Amino acid sequence: MFAEFIYGLGWILLLSAIMGYEISVINNLIISLFSFLLSIILFGNKKRIFISLTALSLLSIGGFFVMYLLGIMDLIADNISAFLMPYFESIAGNSSSIDIPRQVAVILLISILIYIIISKCKHFKFWNYVYIPVSLIALTAGFVENQLNAVSDRYTFLFFIFCSIVYYFYIYYTRIEKKKERDIMPFISIAIIYAICIIGLSQLLFQSRPYPFQAKPKKVYLSNSQEGTNSFDKFASEVATSGNIRDKFVFEGIELFKVKTNKTVYFKSIVYDTYTKNRWLQNESFPKTENSIFTAFKAIGEVENIVINYTGIQTPILFVGPYIDNFSIQNPDIIVACDENRGTYHIENYTENIIKEDFSFSFDSLNIADKEAFKEALRKVKLQNTLPQYEGYSNDRLYELALKITEGIDNDYDKIEAIIKYLKNNYTYNPVPKVPKDNSDKIEYFLFESKEGFCQHYSSAAALLLRSLNIPARYVTGFKIDTSSSFSSVPAYYKYLSTGYKPVFDSDAHAWIEVYFKGYGWVMFESTEVGVANSNQQENRLKEEEEPVAEDKDSNKETIDILIKIGLYTGIPIVLILLIYVIVIIIKSKNAFRKGSSTYKVKIIHQIILDYLKACKYPKYNYETPQEYARRIDAEVSLNELKFSDLITTYNRIIYGEYEADADFVDTYSAFLREIKKDLKKRCKFYKKAKLFIKEFVST
């Protein structure tokens, strides 16, 4: 039974993954257990199937009749239609997915059907050979359709293989127990079958496109417009390409582009100049500034050539490093425009079809090697009141906080570090922070109320605090990537490590600040504290571990509520019908005893006496005659006057038709039963006494 449950659970998890449902493992486990018990209780044998189907049919007919009398048939039909419509839209491709309650309903129905099939088919002669190809066909279909496309699906794949092996040996041992045969061949055959299948699948799938256990490739359309658009709200890359301060950092694990880099971590997309309530904007009227970091500090840095290839993104924005030179693009049809003031690049003649599969560009990126020399050079530069357009922010609370943070610090560079350190030490990174209930400013709420947020909040706060001190700062969006070559990272690394490319996902979206140093240009500063050196790893971890915790709790509660409702709506009517059925059986049995002949009553009482003796460890052995058994009971059980051996002689005559029982003998036999019960009361366990009491109550 346990093997059947495990095999069914493997199927349910696999089908849930193939269908792209977002039901958690815990919820699937709850659904599987509920379905397994329901299939046993309602469909365990032919009698239960008949009662269950009859009860459900009567319930349905009765329900429709009541609704007809109440005149709410149209309302119910509309509700049913509204519930079913998303399924049809999803099948037709008009809707991307159905919601969690509907997913639970589908998986529940499928899981009940699965357990019914498993329980009914396990006795078939060739079931041991049928279910293996069926399992492999399901796996192959999932891969061919690229439905097993999430990182978690690889664990589903392995668990399903494990369940199939467990179930195979369960069937094998069940049958050899019956045949009393043991053979090594089934072990060898199943080992060969699964070895070939697993090795073949792994070789085939990891050398094909699309790759397994990875999100299906999607094209994400991003804009460099400062106005932004609501159609991008579902992607975390909006953080990298929009100046809007978002309520939460969410992502879908979509690969956007790949980059060949060893040390360059930051790739900026858009630089913003001015801040209004909850939004950063670009201001084209601001004066141009020099940008000579690459040439000024090339001697203390390391230059590497970066190559970027767009794989899942359509955008005019060309992502580049903070300090670059020698930008190059191979396609002669593409016209590239450079915003020297902001250090950004974009395609001037952009159309949706201009970026092809192999679209790529390159540039030289400077990574500062001697950070102490770099810092000392910058500490000599006076920052305050050098670029008025990027200075000043009229907010008394922020100004007072900035003064408090930088109290006693004279050097402007040290003030930058002090503000960034303050934010990192006193605020908590949270991709789903608390947000103001009214339409108040989110950055002010972050600084003085919630004290939790993600990169947008940290960077905006740092820029505004610096501006309040008349230190020119601006807000930058882009991506921060993991430059390590770790196989523990996302599966896409498998296909890129050999080529030197690293994938960049929408989860790598990031924001930071740049501060203007007169004579050099704009210098970037990381202002977000996420507890590890690489913020992307933490953002991914927080997304996968923290945000789903709250979502899983809600989802678990929602699933349990749905199962409880289903249990109540289907279980209560079935329980009532079964209760009525039991009452009818009891009344029928008691009437049969009451109206039956004395001989019939004696037979019933005799069987109850034997049941009591057996429950108290006085069974009748096969080698004993009824008379010998009665004499043994008389010797071992102390009774007052009645002797079982005397009664059994008369009972045998009645059974074999030599004597007709009368009411007096029935009374005598009943009295003997009472004596037996009184004497054996302390020798019988409670649950056996309860069982015998129920049987006696029903029979007599």
Side-chain angles (χ1 to χ4, degrees):
M1 185 174 289
F2 177 73
E4 294 171 13
F5 170 73
I6 289 294
Y7 183 56
L9 176 61
W11 263 106
I12 292 162
L13 289 171
L14 178 67
L15 291 176
S16 179
I18 289 175
M19 296 167 75
Y21 286 177
E22 299 175 354
I23 305 174
S24 67
V25 175
I26 295 176
N27 287 341
N28 274 315
L29 180 61
I30 295 171
I31 293 171
S32 301
L33 183 60
F34 181 81
S35 304
F36 182 65
L37 296 175
L38 202 63
S39 64
I40 293 174
I41 295 170
L42 299 184
F43 306 101
N45 52 47
K46 292 181 179 179
K47 189 175 181 180
R48 291 179 187 174
I49 293 173
F50 175 76
I51 293 173
S52 301
L53 293 178
T54 303
L56 290 173
S57 300
L58 292 174
L59 177 64
S60 301
I61 295 170
F64 280 114
F65 182 70
V66 170
M67 287 185 284
Y68 174 75
L69 293 177
L70 295 175
I72 57 174
M73 284 290 292
D74 292 338
L75 177 63
I76 299 300
D78 290 341
N79 289 336
I80 294 174
S81 176
F83 183 80
L84 295 178
M85 188 57 66
Y87 292 114
F88 296 108
E89 291 178 351
S90 179
I91 293 170
N94 298 327
S95 175
S96 59
S97 63
I98 58 177
D99 55 17
I100 294 296
R102 289 180 173 84
Q103 292 180 12
V104 170
V106 171
I107 293 299
L108 179 63
L109 292 175
I110 291 175
S111 58
I112 293 173
L113 182 62
I114 285 172
Y115 282 118
I116 291 174
I117 292 173
I118 291 173
S119 64
K120 299 305 175 186
C121 293
K122 67 180 180 181
H123 302 297
F124 289 176
K125 184 177 180 180
F126 298 105
W127 177 242
N128 198 25
Y129 305 100
V130 171
Y131 90 90
I132 293 178
V134 171
S135 303
L136 293 174
I137 288 170
L139 282 173
T140 305
F143 283 119
V144 169
E145 293 297 321
N146 193 31
Q147 294 300 319
L148 297 175
N149 50 44
V151 177
S152 59
D153 290 345
R154 80 172 97 174
Y155 303 111
T156 300
F157 167 79
L158 295 174
F159 183 73
F160 182 76
I161 294 293
F162 167 76
C163 292
S164 301
I165 295 173
V166 169
Y167 190 61
Y168 175 87
F169 287 114
Y170 161 72
I171 296 174
Y172 171 70
Y173 274 114
T174 301
R175 294 189 175 177
I176 64 172
E177 283 294 325
K178 293 179 180 178
K179 295 181 179 179
K180 303 298 181 183
E181 298 175 357
R182 291 190 180 273
D183 188 6
I184 196 65
M185 285 307 297
F187 290 94
I188 297 174
S189 62
I190 195 65
I192 293 172
I193 289 171
Y194 275 104
I196 292 173
C197 292
I198 292 172
I199 293 172
L201 278 173
S202 63
Q203 293 299 313
L204 172 66
L205 295 169
F206 281 99
Q207 294 181 15
S208 63
R209 291 181 180 270
Y211 297 88
F213 312 128
Q214 177 189 338
K216 288 183 287 189
K218 302 179 183 179
K219 287 291 182 182
V220 183
Y221 295 88
L222 302 178
S223 170
N224 64 345
S225 169
Q226 63 187 24
E227 296 299 323
T229 173
N230 292 332
S231 62
F232 309 138
D233 284 351
K234 63 188 293 187
F235 299 106
S237 48
E238 175 78 351
V239 172
T241 56
S242 169
N244 297 321
I245 306 299
R246 304 182 63 77
D247 291 339
K248 58 184 178 180
F249 183 84
V250 294
F251 57 87
E252 291 191 349
I254 300 171
E255 181 188 317
L256 301 178
F257 60 94
K258 58 184 179 181
V259 56
K260 186 178 289 187
T261 177
N262 292 318
K263 294 185 178 181
T264 301
V265 173
Y266 295 89
F267 295 87
K268 64 181 177 178
S269 58
I270 302 179
V271 177
Y272 294 93
D273 311 304
T274 60
Y275 179 80
T276 58
K277 190 175 184 180
N278 298 325
R279 191 178 190 184
W280 284 93
L281 300 171
Q282 290 182 325
N283 193 325
E284 301 301 335
S285 65
F286 279 14
K288 304 300 180 182
T289 54
E290 72 268 30
N291 197 357
S292 59
I293 299 292
F294 188 95
T295 54
F297 294 99
K298 187 175 181 179
I300 61 170
E302 297 177 359
V303 177
E304 66 169 335
N305 186 255
I306 306 296
V307 180
I308 292 181
N309 179 263
Y310 282 3
T311 55
I313 189 172
Q314 284 284 346
T315 176
I317 302 168
L318 300 173
F319 306 119
V320 295
Y323 319 120
I324 75 159
D325 198 3
N326 300 324
F327 182 94
S328 173
I329 192 165
Q330 303 301 322
N331 192 333
D333 298 328
I334 295 178
I335 302 173
V336 177
C338 174
D339 186 340
E340 295 182 0
N341 182 44
R342 299 186 177 96
T344 58
Y345 291 77
H346 67 276
I347 301 173
E348 200 167 50
N349 60 333
Y350 172 79
T351 62
E352 289 186 3
N353 298 323
I354 201 168
I355 294 181
K356 306 296 184 182
E357 181 92 11
D358 58 348
F359 175 80
S360 62
F361 55 93
S362 64
F363 52 86
D364 291 335
S365 175
L366 176 68
N367 297 292
I368 303 299
D370 192 344
K371 297 186 183 302
E372 287 300 320
F374 183 63
K375 179 179 176 179
E376 286 304 315
L378 296 179
R379 291 185 81 254
K380 298 176 182 178
V381 180
K382 182 181 182 300
L383 303 179
Q384 289 181 315
N385 303 315
T386 56
L387 196 62
Q389 292 82 358
Y390 290 92
E391 299 171 9
Y393 182 68
S394 58
N395 185 302
D396 293 338
R397 296 182 74 188
L398 265 72
Y399 177 65
E400 291 174 3
L401 178 61
L403 288 177
K404 178 182 176 182
I405 296 170
T406 59
E407 185 178 2
I409 300 175
D410 296 327
N411 186 273
D412 290 340
Y413 184 91
D414 293 340
K415 289 181 180 180
I416 299 171
E417 288 195 329
I419 287 175
I420 291 175
K421 183 178 179 181
Y422 176 84
L423 292 173
K424 291 181 177 182
N425 292 340
N426 293 278
Y427 294 83
T428 304
Y429 185 93
N430 187 350
V432 190
K434 297 175 183 176
V435 295
K437 296 180 180 179
D438 53 12
N439 195 30
S440 58
D441 186 75
K442 295 176 184 177
I443 303 306
E444 193 170 350
Y445 184 81
F446 162 76
L447 283 171
F448 302 105
E449 302 295 335
S450 69
K451 296 191 175 182
E452 62 177 17
F454 51 96
C455 56
Q456 282 192 317
H457 300 85
Y458 281 88
S459 301
S460 298
L464 297 180
L465 287 169
L466 289 171
R467 285 189 174 192
S468 67
L469 297 176
N470 291 329
I471 294 176
R474 63 188 185 186
Y475 175 79
V476 184
T477 61
F479 295 88
K480 182 182 181 183
I481 70 168
D482 178 11
T483 56
S484 65
S485 300
S486 172
F487 277 98
S488 64
S489 303
V490 291
Y493 276 113
Y494 299 156
K495 58 179 177 178
Y496 288 144
L497 282 175
S498 60
T499 62
Y501 281 102
K502 296 176 178 63
V504 180
F505 297 88
D506 60 339
S507 57
D508 294 316
H510 195 51
W512 57 91
I513 64 169
E514 289 182 343
V515 179
Y516 180 69
F517 288 78
K518 191 173 183 179
Y520 297 115
W522 294 92
V523 177
M524 68 149 296
F525 288 87
E526 173 60 83
S527 52
T528 304
E529 173 60 37
V530 291
V532 293
N534 189 300
S535 66
N536 303 313
Q537 292 178 345
Q538 182 71 351
E539 287 172 356
N540 278 290
R541 187 181 66 81
L542 287 168
K543 166 66 182 175
E544 294 171 357
E545 297 179 6
E546 292 184 11
E547 185 182 355
V549 168
E551 292 181 355
D552 283 348
K553 287 180 180 178
D554 295 338
S555 179
N556 291 344
K557 186 177 183 301
E558 192 175 20
T559 302
I560 293 171
D561 291 341
I562 293 169
L563 292 176
I564 290 173
K565 289 180 180 179
I566 293 173
L568 290 175
Y569 292 153
T570 60
I572 290 177
I574 293 173
V575 169
L576 290 175
I577 292 173
L578 291 175
L579 184 61
I580 294 171
Y581 174 78
V582 169
I583 292 172
V584 170
I585 294 296
I586 292 173
I587 293 173
K588 186 177 178 181
S589 178
K590 294 183 80 68
N591 283 337
F593 184 84
R594 183 171 58 85
K595 297 178 180 180
S597 64
S598 296
T599 300
Y600 175 78
K601 293 179 180 178
V602 168
K603 289 179 181 179
I604 297 297
I605 295 171
H606 179 75
Q607 187 59 49
I608 294 173
I609 290 171
L610 293 181
D611 289 339
Y612 267 104
L613 290 170
K614 183 179 179 180
C616 298
K617 299 182 180 179
Y618 294 110
K620 180 183 177 301
Y621 300 122
N622 293 332
Y623 58 82
E624 288 182 312
T625 64
Q627 198 67 38
E628 290 173 341
Y629 177 56
R631 285 197 293 269
R632 180 164 64 86
I633 295 302
D634 289 338
E636 296 182 9
V637 180
S638 58
L639 300 173
N640 294 333
E641 299 177 357
L642 297 172
K643 296 293 184 180
F644 193 29
S645 55
D646 296 336
L647 296 174
I648 205 71
T649 302
T650 305
Y651 174 78
N652 287 335
R653 289 178 180 175
I654 293 171
I655 293 300
Y656 295 111
E658 299 177 8
Y659 181 78
E660 185 66 31
D662 55 17
D664 291 337
F665 188 73
V666 173
D667 293 339
T668 303
Y669 226 40
S670 298
F672 181 75
L673 174 60
R674 289 192 293 272
E675 289 290 330
I676 285 287
K677 287 164 57 179
K678 188 185 298 182
D679 185 73
L680 300 179
K681 189 175 182 180
K682 295 181 181 179
R683 309 184 194 186
C684 190
K685 293 183 179 179
F686 175 77
Y687 73 93
K688 290 185 177 181
K689 283 194 292 185
K691 181 180 178 181
L692 292 169
F693 171 79
I694 293 171
K695 184 174 182 179
E696 183 181 352
F697 173 77
V698 172
S699 302
T700 61

